[in-house]
Amino acid sequence: MGVVVQKYGGTSVADPEKIRAVAERVVSTRKAGSDVVVVVSAMGATTDDLLDLAHQVAAQPSPREMDMLLTAGERISIALLCMALIDLGYEAVSFTGSQAGIVTDTIHGKARILEVKGSRIRAALAEGKIVAVAGFQGVSTSSDITTLGRGGSDTSAVAVAASLEADVCEIYTDVDGVYTADPRSVPSARKLDAITYEEMLELSASGAKVLQVRSVEYARNHGVPIHVRSSFTQAPGTWVVEEAELMEQAIISGVAHDASEAKMTIKAVPDHPGVAARIFTALAGEAINVDMIVQNVSSHGHTDVSFTLPRGDLPTAQPVIESPCAELGAEGFDTEHDIAKVSLVGAGMKTHPGVAAQMFTALARAGVNIEMISTSTIRVSCVIKETDLDRALVAVHDSFRLGEAAPS
Ligand code: ADP
Ligand code: ASP
Ligand code: MG
């Protein structure tokens, strides 16, 4: 019997009625002849509420205790889902990440999965049970409970699917697939039937939170087919697959945005070897994910270095930056909170020149100033003011006519 892994996000299990609906959906997959492992997120806004609670008792909550707290959200969901499944007359058993054998490294709050042992999942499936696994969590190599970063249940599901060699990893969410842009920001966005791992990786890394970036990375590395679809309809969604499996390849697959970053600029640092190494080694030492980096042209032996980082990492980054700034003799640093990043992604950029120019033109026509630019072979990203974001997204999306169906 094949195995199907289904992951249900927070909105899909937001209340008891929705949990019962998920249970029915799981049962219908089971009846169709597959073993089912369900990975669930915390109900609705539970994770945000727990985060809030933590900040009400401590200014900087202990990372270990934060993980202990947050994993409670997913634990509630697995227990309730199994109760609903049992009520429908099916045998079901829930496992925390630790019980499922999801082993991670020791970085609290953004742990990486090292291995999925999965022996209890396999044994339960062999006994004919439906298995529910708590998403977003694991146990570290030093036996502490860890979480996998926001949106991490996607990665739990893919990792479990890889371990069980599942036929598919279905990601059920509140939209019916991957769109050419976040449909909440760009109403004319169009659903894609399929997208490559490579492009999805860039979209996710650029802020399209429909799939956590690590889930796409894991799926690509282990060859897990992902099907993103709505938990509220039966309509087929979007398949994330290898390029060779794609029927046709559009030049541009979509636009993503990210309004969760901040920009820091270190002013007037002496321009000599080792400066960038000193600054970014200090940030890396605190596991801060620096995104874009721009070093200005040197003037009178001094230069400005700007970079973007998650806003949530600012309280850690600011003190970390102070000592290299002082050591290097920099003038100081500025922090900008109100920035956003717009990224255009498409495998066709490799062979079609002029894509970046067209994006910059679209932004210019919309009166949007570009503060930073970075590119990969299949992506162009621009940092802009957050207040310009909605206008910028629509301008870029329309310029590449992404809302129109691909010619057949
Ligand atoms: P879940 O709770 O099910 O994990 P998320 O909120 O993490 O759901 O992800 C789904 C959301 O991702 C959608 O509601 C949508 O607003 C957003 N999103 C961003 N970019 C895209 C995109 N390109 N296609 C579809 N959804 C997107
Ligand atoms: N509950 C976690 C979060 O809100 C994990 C997830 O939903 O994927 O980020
Ligand atoms: Mg999510």
Side-chain angles (χ1 to χ4, degrees), residues 7 151 154 209-210:
K7 178 257 170 177
D154 298 332
K209 69 169 183 165
V210 60

Side-chain angles (χ1 to χ4, degrees), residues 207-270:
K209 69 169 183 165
V210 60
L211 285 175
Q212 196 200 33
V213 62
R214 282 185 183 167
S215 72
V216 186
E217 200 177 36
Y218 207 103
R220 183 194 58 185
N221 293 347
H222 295 82
V224 177
I226 296 180
H227 187 189
V228 180
R229 51 194 305 199
S230 164
S231 52
F232 307 118
T233 71
Q234 295 293 338
T238 304
W239 286 85
V240 186
V241 292
E242 294 287 0
E243 197 172 336
E245 293 167 60
L246 224 54
M247 300 292 279
E248 59 188 79
Q249 176 83 67
I251 298 172
I252 302 298
S253 54
V255 185
H257 69 275
D258 187 351
S260 69
E261 292 193 336
K263 178 174 152 192
M264 288 180 86
T265 301
I266 302 183
K267 293 183 298 182
V269 256

Side-chain angles (χ1 to χ4, degrees), residues 2 12 16 19 59 65 109 124 131 146 204 242 244 293 301 361 363 368 380:
S12 311
I19 293 179
E65 302 312 325
V131 176
T146 49
S204 292
E242 294 287 0
I293 302 175
T361 305
L363 291 172
V368 175
V380 183

Side-chain angles (χ1 to χ4, degrees), residues 309-325:
L309 73 171
R311 257 177 232 177
D313 284 345
L314 274 178
T316 324
Q318 282 164 334
V320 162
I321 277 301
E322 269 164 21
S323 58
C325 268

Side-chain angles (χ1 to χ4, degrees), residues 16 67-68 82 161 182 198 203 220 252 256 334 354 357 402:
D67 276 357
M68 192 62 101
C82 283
D182 186 338
E198 190 192 17
L203 284 175
R220 183 194 58 185
I252 302 298
D334 280 343
L402 298 178

Side-chain angles (χ1 to χ4, degrees), residues 29-367:
T29 309
R30 181 55 210 263
K31 280 191 188 149
S34 299
D35 274 342
V36 193
V37 177
V38 199
V39 174
V40 266
S41 291
M43 294 170 71
T46 301
T47 308
D48 289 331
D49 295 344
L50 292 173
L51 274 165
D52 228 45
L53 209 54
H55 288 287
Q56 286 178 44
V57 298
Q60 291 221 28
S62 142
R64 181 189 184 278
E65 302 312 325
M66 184 64 107
D67 276 357
M68 192 62 101
L69 176 72
L70 294 187
T71 49
E74 271 68 14
R75 207 165 163 142
I76 294 171
S77 304
I78 47 168
L80 291 174
L81 178 63
C82 283
M83 289 174 193
L85 286 165
I86 294 164
D87 195 57
L88 291 174
Y90 285 76
E91 279 195 89
V93 61
S94 64
F95 296 126
T96 62
S98 169
Q99 289 175 319
I102 299 177
V103 181
T104 73
D105 64 17
T106 55
I107 313 277
H108 285 292
K110 41 184 161 185
R112 264 184 189 277
I113 295 177
L114 302 174
E115 185 193 0
V116 177
K117 294 203 169 107
S119 50
R120 292 190 71 177
I121 303 179
R122 279 189 198 85
L125 291 177
E127 288 166 10
K129 292 178 180 155
I130 295 169
V131 176
V133 176
F136 179 54
Q137 56 182 269
V139 61
S140 77
T141 44
S142 44
S143 308
D144 278 318
I145 297 299
T146 49
T147 61
L148 310 177
R150 296 309 303 264
S153 300
D154 298 332
T155 307
S156 309
V158 169
V160 166
S163 155
L164 300 174
E165 295 181 21
D167 298 336
V168 57
C169 180
E170 295 182 329
I171 304 283
Y172 287 93
T173 184
D174 56 3
V175 280
D176 53 8
V178 178
Y179 278 67
T180 50
D182 186 338
R184 288 177 210 284
S185 303
V186 182
S188 62
R190 179 174 51 89
K191 190 184 86 185
L192 300 165
D193 293 332
I195 185 167
T196 62
Y197 291 120
E198 190 192 17
E199 289 168 306
M200 193 63 232
L201 206 54
E202 290 280 6
L203 284 175
S204 292
S206 307
K209 69 169 183 165
V210 60
L211 285 175
Q212 196 200 33
V213 62
R214 282 185 183 167
S215 72
V216 186
E217 200 177 36
Y218 207 103
R220 183 194 58 185
N221 293 347
H222 295 82
V224 177
I226 296 180
H227 187 189
V228 180
R229 51 194 305 199
S230 164
S231 52
F232 307 118
T233 71
Q234 295 293 338
T238 304
W239 286 85
V240 186
V241 292
E242 294 287 0
E243 197 172 336
E245 293 167 60
L246 224 54
M247 300 292 279
E248 59 188 79
Q249 176 83 67
I251 298 172
I252 302 298
S253 54
V255 185
H257 69 275
D258 187 351
S260 69
E261 292 193 336
K263 178 174 152 192
M264 288 180 86
T265 301
I266 302 183
K267 293 183 298 182
V269 256
D271 192 9
H272 59 68
V275 166
R278 178 73 188 88
I279 297 167
F280 294 104
T281 305
L283 293 165
E286 294 297 323
I288 292 166
N289 269 329
V290 171
D291 180 17
M292 275 192 210
I293 302 175
V294 170
Q295 178 171 328
N296 285 351
V297 176
S298 178
S299 128
H300 308 296
H302 287 77
T303 180
D304 290 349
V305 177
S306 298
F307 57 90
T308 61
L309 73 171
R311 257 177 232 177
D313 284 345
L314 274 178
T316 324
Q318 282 164 334
V320 162
I321 277 301
E322 269 164 21
S323 58
C325 268
E327 266 172 47
L328 296 165
E331 200 178 287
F333 64 86
D334 280 343
T335 306
E336 259 183 79
H337 290 76
D338 57 343
I339 58 148
K341 187 174 68 176
V342 179
S343 303
L344 185 69
V345 172
M349 282 182 205
K350 288 179 194 162
T351 45
H352 288 73
V355 169
Q358 187 177 335
M359 178 180 183
F360 303 152
T361 305
L363 291 172
R365 287 204 181 123

